[in-house]
Amino acid sequence: MSDNQSWNSSGSEEDFEPELGHPVGIAEFSGVLSKWTNYIHGWQDRWVVLKNNTLSYYKSQDEREYGCRGSLCLSKAVITAHEFDECRLDISVNDSVWYLRAQDPEHRHQWIDSIELHRKIREGSREKGGVQGSVLVPPPLAESGYGSESSLRRHGSMLSLTSATSGYSATSTSSFKKGHSLREKLAEMETFRDILCRQVDTLQKYFDGCADAVSKDELQRDKIVEGDEDDFPNTRTDGEFLHNNNGSKEKLFQSLSPKGINGIDFKGEAITFKATTAGILATLSHCIDLMVKREDSWQKRLDKVHNEMEKRRRIEESYKSALNELKKKSHFGGPDYEEGPNSLINEDEFFDAVEAALDRQDKIEEQTQCEKTRIQRSSPVPSGDMYSSAGTHRFSDKVEEMVQNHMTYSLQDVGGDANWQLVVEEGEMKVYRREVEENGIVLDPLKATHSVKGVTGHEVCHYFWDTDYRNDWETTIENFNVVETLSDNAVIVYQTHKRVWPASQRDVLYLSAMRKILANNENDPDTWLVCNFSVDHDNAQPTNRCVRAKINIAMICQTLVSPPEGDKEISRDNILCKITYVANVNPGGWAPASVLRAVAKREYPKFLKRFTSYVQEKTAGKPILF
C-alpha cells in the first residue's frame, strides 16, 4: 500500500447490527487520484475517499473538513478500466462520468478491487435485510400415468383460467363475456377427463381380474391331465363342471353374476366409457368451432400487440440514440476526445472544434489589439555591430551553422523546385508548402515571401526577436520566459501556447539569435536574420502537461532603398523590406494530418500580415533604423 493510499476501519461508524442487514466493519479506502476536470485544466490531483459504498473527492486531504466537492453512489455505478491507459478507470452513473487516473496500474487495480468489495458487501447486506416471507412455492408435480382422482381435481383448469384472466385490465370486460362459453367447454373437458381417468382405472382392474381367473383355470387343467382321472372327482370345489367320461360337455365356469368379477358391471362401464368418449369428441368439436370463430378477433389482437411492440422498439431506439448524443455532447470535453491515436473524435469534428476555438481567440485578440499597439515601450536598440558575430557562448557554433544553412538554402528561389506547392497568394505575400510525413506526424516545411513598405530589415528582425514586444503581436502564446541569456543577441526562451481543444497543449524551448550578414557586394543589401531552433535545457524539462514541439524557424529580411527625388532625404516611402520566412515544425502528438495542414494554411498568412502591420504601426513617425 502506498503512502498516498490507506485503509481506515472505524468501528464507531461502521459496526452495525447484523440483523438489520447493514455491513460490519467495511474499511474506508482513500488516496490521491488524478481527476479529469475540463479541457482547460486537464488532470488535477484530488483526495478520493471510498466509504459506505460512496466515492467522494476533495481538493486535498487537508480540506476534508470543508466538505467534499462531489460524490457518487456506487450501487448502480459502472466501473470501466480503460482499454489503452493502464492507469485510468472511468466511473459512470447515468450521465455523470468521473475520469480518474492512478499513479500506476497496481494502484488502479487496488481501487477497482476496493470498489467491488464495497459493492459486494453492500449487496449481501441488502439481501440479508430483505423480506423473508415472500417465498414462492412451485405447484406439485403431476403424477406419472393417468394420475389419481385427487391430483386431477387439485389441478383443475378453471383455476388456471381464472388466474390467467385476472391479469387483464378492467377495460377487457367484454372479452370475458365473449370467452365465457369457451371457458365453460374447457371446464366440461376437465370434468370428462376426470371421469375418463376413473373409468380407465376401473377397466384396468376388470382386465386384471379376468387375467387372474384364466391363469387359475389353466393351472387346474394341467393338474387333471397329469394325474389318474378316476381318482379325481368330476366336480371342482367351486362348482365348475369338467368334461365327463362320456364326452358330454359341462359348464367350465359357473354363470357370471350381473356384477361380474370383483363386482364390476362391465357392460355398464363400457356404455359409460363410450358416452364419455363421445362427450369429449363433441366438446372438442365445439371448442374448435369457437376458436375458429374467434380467430379473426385474436389475429387483430395479435396484430395490435405486434404494432405496439414495434412502436415501443422504435421509441426505445430513438431514446437510446438521443441519450448517446446527449452523453457525447455532455462528455465532448472529456479525455477520450482529446488528441491522440485512440481519440473518439473524427477528423471533421476535430477540425471543426479547432477552427471554432481559433475563431474565438481571434475575436478576443481583435478586442485587445488596439490596446496593445497604444502601449509605448522604450527598448534600447543596440548598434548593428553587435549582431555581426555569433558570440562566444556554448551554442555559438550551432548558431553559426544554422545561420549559414538558412543563407544558403532558405533564400533559394522556389520557382524551379517542383516539390514546393503554392498554397496561398494574397497580394505580395506567397506561401509555399512541401508535404512531408514521418511516422504519421506532419513535418511540412513552409516558406513564405512578402514585401512590406516603410520598414527596414533591421526593424522587422528587432521586433521579431526582442521578447519585450512578443506579447504585442503574438496571439498564440499563453506565457513565456527567458530561461537563459547567452549574449546580447542570443537567448533561450521557453513558451507555452494557448490550448486549442481538442488538440493537446504545446510548449517549445528554443534558442533565439539575431544576426546581421554583411553583403559581399556593395550593391547588394545587407541581410538581417533571426533564427529560432529547439534546444535542451535543465531548467525547462518536458512535462506531461504539454506536448513538446520542435522548431527550426528563420525570419530573413533585406532592405531595398529607392533613391529620393532631388535633394530630399530618404523617407519611409523610399524603403521596402523583402521578407523570407521559413518554418520547419514537428508538432509531436497525434493531431490529424489534414487538420494540421488546414490550420497551417490558415494561420501562417494571418501571422505574417498581423506581424508586419504591427511593425509598420510601431515604426511610423520614428527615425529609420537601417
Side-chain angles (χ1 to χ4, degrees):
M1 192 71 65
S2 69
D3 296 337
N4 292 333
Q5 292 176 317
S6 63
W7 286 98
N8 179 20
S9 179
S10 174
S12 60
E13 294 183 3
E14 301 292 341
D15 294 339
F16 301 112
E17 295 296 330
E19 59 269 16
L20 297 179
H22 294 294
V24 178
I26 303 179
E28 175 185 309
F29 189 59
S30 58
V32 175
L33 290 176
S34 296
K35 183 177 182 296
W36 177 264
T37 54
N38 52 55
Y39 68 86
I40 297 177
H41 298 99
W43 297 97
Q44 299 290 332
D45 287 344
R46 294 290 183 259
W47 183 259
V48 183
V49 177
L50 174 60
K51 182 179 180 181
N52 293 343
N53 203 36
T54 300
L55 198 67
S56 308
Y57 79 92
Y58 307 80
K59 186 174 182 180
S60 64
Q61 185 177 7
D62 297 334
E63 295 191 6
R64 288 191 62 173
E65 60 184 18
Y66 300 115
C68 69
R69 295 198 165 196
S71 62
L72 284 178
C73 179
L74 299 175
S75 298
K76 297 183 178 180
V78 178
I79 294 91
T80 306
H82 198 266
E83 183 179 1
F84 306 106
D85 191 342
E86 295 182 349
C87 299
R88 178 176 150 191
L89 65 151
D90 301 344
I91 303 176
S92 59
V93 178
N94 296 329
D95 59 348
S96 177
V97 181
W98 284 12
Y99 305 102
L100 303 172
R101 291 188 84 253
Q103 62 184 21
D104 53 47
E106 180 181 354
H107 287 119
R108 182 183 76 167
H109 292 316
Q110 291 179 2
W111 274 100
I112 294 176
D113 293 342
S114 301
I115 291 173
E116 293 297 340
L117 177 62
H118 270 247
R119 292 172 56 163
K120 288 179 180 178
I121 295 177
R122 180 66 62 176
E123 290 173 1
S125 64
R126 187 182 297 113
E127 291 177 0
K128 291 181 180 179
V131 179
Q132 298 291 332
S134 301
V135 179
L136 296 177
V137 180
L141 296 174
E143 300 175 9
S144 60
Y146 294 111
S148 64
E149 179 181 351
S150 60
S151 67
L152 291 171
R153 288 179 179 175
R154 199 162 54 241
H155 303 294
S157 64
M158 282 301 294
L159 178 61
S160 301
L161 285 170
T162 304
S163 61
T165 56
S166 63
Y168 292 158
S169 63
T171 58
S172 301
T173 308
S174 60
S175 300
F176 292 156
K177 293 179 180 179
K178 292 179 181 178
H180 178 71
S181 59
L182 179 60
R183 293 200 300 274
E184 202 172 60
K185 291 300 178 183
L186 290 174
E188 291 179 10
M189 289 282 294
E190 190 73 16
T191 304
F192 282 134
R193 189 193 69 172
D194 293 345
I195 296 173
L196 188 60
C197 288
R198 291 197 299 271
Q199 290 175 342
V200 169
D201 289 340
T202 301
L203 290 174
Q204 186 65 48
K205 292 178 183 178
Y206 175 79
F207 294 145
D208 291 343
C210 291
D212 291 341
V214 171
S215 297
K216 289 179 181 179
D217 180 62
E218 290 178 350
L219 181 60
Q220 291 294 335
R221 283 191 295 176
D222 290 341
K223 289 181 179 179
I224 293 172
V225 172
E226 291 175 359
D228 187 359
E229 295 183 358
D230 295 335
D231 295 336
F232 291 91
N234 292 333
T235 60
R236 294 185 180 180
T237 57
D238 58 0
E240 296 176 354
F241 294 93
L242 302 174
H243 292 83
N244 54 22
N245 295 332
N246 297 327
S248 61
K249 293 183 179 180
E250 300 291 343
K251 291 184 178 178
L252 176 62
F253 299 109
Q254 66 179 5
S255 300
L256 293 175
S257 64
K259 294 295 183 179
I261 298 175
N262 297 328
I264 297 175
D265 185 2
F266 176 71
K267 185 175 182 180
E269 289 293 337
I271 293 172
T272 307
F273 183 78
K274 183 177 181 180
T276 303
T277 307
I280 290 176
L281 294 176
T283 305
L284 281 175
S285 299
H286 195 168
C287 290
I288 292 172
D289 292 339
L290 289 173
M291 286 188 282
V292 168
K293 291 178 181 179
R294 298 191 62 188
E295 181 180 7
D296 293 340
S297 175
W298 288 344
Q299 186 63 44
K300 290 179 181 178
R301 284 190 183 183
L302 184 61
D303 292 341
K304 184 177 181 181
V305 171
H306 286 167
N307 292 336
E308 292 295 332
M309 291 178 64
E310 182 64 23
K311 288 181 181 179
R312 181 186 180 92
R313 185 187 63 80
R314 288 198 296 265
I315 292 173
E316 288 179 350
E317 288 180 353
S318 300
Y319 171 75
K320 290 179 181 178
S321 178
L323 186 62
N324 290 334
E325 288 296 324
L326 180 62
K327 288 182 177 180
K328 184 176 179 180
K329 291 180 180 178
S330 60
H331 303 145
F332 198 68
D336 289 323
Y337 294 90
E338 277 195 302
E339 169 192 343
N342 304 307
S343 176
L344 298 181
I345 190 171
N346 59 44
E347 287 195 16
D348 292 338
E349 292 172 333
F350 196 106
F351 176 75
D352 292 341
V354 169
E355 190 174 40
L358 292 175
D359 289 339
R360 288 193 297 270
Q361 289 186 8
D362 289 345
K363 290 182 180 179
I364 295 173
E365 287 300 325
E366 287 177 3
Q367 297 172 359
T368 59
Q369 192 63 36
C370 295
E371 297 294 332
K372 290 181 179 180
T373 54
R374 283 199 293 266
I375 297 176
Q376 298 295 326
R377 292 185 176 87
S378 56
S379 178
V381 180
S383 62
D385 295 337
M386 63 172 294
Y387 296 111
S388 299
S389 65
T392 58
H393 51 82
R394 65 183 185 278
F395 289 102
S396 58
D397 292 340
K398 183 66 175 177
V399 171
E400 187 64 27
E401 178 186 350
M402 299 299 291
V403 169
Q404 293 303 322
N405 286 337
H406 285 302
M407 292 298 297
T408 302
Y409 301 108
S410 298
L411 291 178
Q412 289 181 352
D413 188 11
V414 298
D417 192 343
N419 293 325
W420 287 102
Q421 303 173 8
L422 179 64
V423 292
V424 176
E425 183 174 8
E426 296 181 11
E428 295 292 333
M429 181 177 59
K430 296 180 180 179
V431 179
Y432 302 87
R433 178 179 67 204
R434 191 170 65 234
E435 293 189 359
V436 177
E437 287 190 30
E438 184 177 322
N439 296 327
I441 299 177
V442 174
L443 305 176
D444 295 353
L446 282 117
K447 185 173 184 177
T449 60
H450 196 20
S451 297
V452 184
K453 294 182 179 180
V455 295
T456 65
H458 188 180
E459 291 169 335
V460 172
C461 288
H462 170 69
Y463 285 105
F464 186 72
W465 178 81
D466 197 332
T467 55
D468 291 337
Y469 301 99
R470 183 66 53 84
N471 279 332
D472 291 350
W473 55 266
E474 179 60 272
T475 62
T476 64
I477 292 178
E478 184 175 86
N479 55 65
F480 75 95
N481 64 285
V482 177
V483 177
E484 182 181 355
T485 300
L486 300 173
S487 65
D488 291 337
N489 65 339
V491 293
I492 295 178
V493 178
Y494 171 76
Q495 66 188 32
T496 57
H497 292 265
K498 294 177 182 177
R499 173 75 183 276
V500 181
W501 192 87
S504 301
Q505 189 172 21
R506 257 73 176 178
D507 66 357
V508 61
L509 178 68
Y510 62 95
L511 186 152
S512 182
M514 182 173 171
R515 290 288 306 279
K516 176 183 179 182
I517 310 299
L518 299 176
N520 296 326
N521 190 331
E522 62 179 9
N523 294 324
D524 294 333
D526 295 336
T527 301
W528 288 86
L529 179 147
V530 176
C531 62
N532 299 336
F533 57 92
S534 293
V535 294
D536 295 324
H537 200 283
D538 294 337
N539 295 338
Q541 296 292 334
T543 64
N544 294 329
R545 182 170 174 266
C546 298
V547 175
R548 179 64 57 90
K550 301 291 184 179
I551 65 170
N552 182 8
I553 294 172
M555 177 76 77
I556 307 169
C557 302
Q558 293 177 328
T559 305
L560 303 180
V561 180
S562 59
E565 297 180 358
D567 297 331
K568 293 181 179 180
E569 294 184 356
I570 297 175
S571 67
R572 294 194 175 274
D573 295 333
N574 302 118
I575 58 178
L576 177 71
C577 181
K578 294 184 65 177
I579 299 174
T580 300
Y581 179 81
V582 292
N584 292 271
V585 179
N586 182 346
W590 294 88
S594 60
V595 176
L596 287 176
R597 290 188 172 112
V599 171
K601 182 178 178 180
R602 160 188 166 138
E603 292 302 309
Y604 276 106
K606 288 172 59 177
F607 150 71
L608 271 180
K609 287 190 292 185
R610 181 176 62 250
F611 172 68
T612 54
S613 297
Y614 169 80
V615 175
Q616 287 176 321
E617 292 177 4
K618 296 295 290 185
T619 57
K622 293 182 179 181
I624 302 174
L625 183 63
F626 287 101

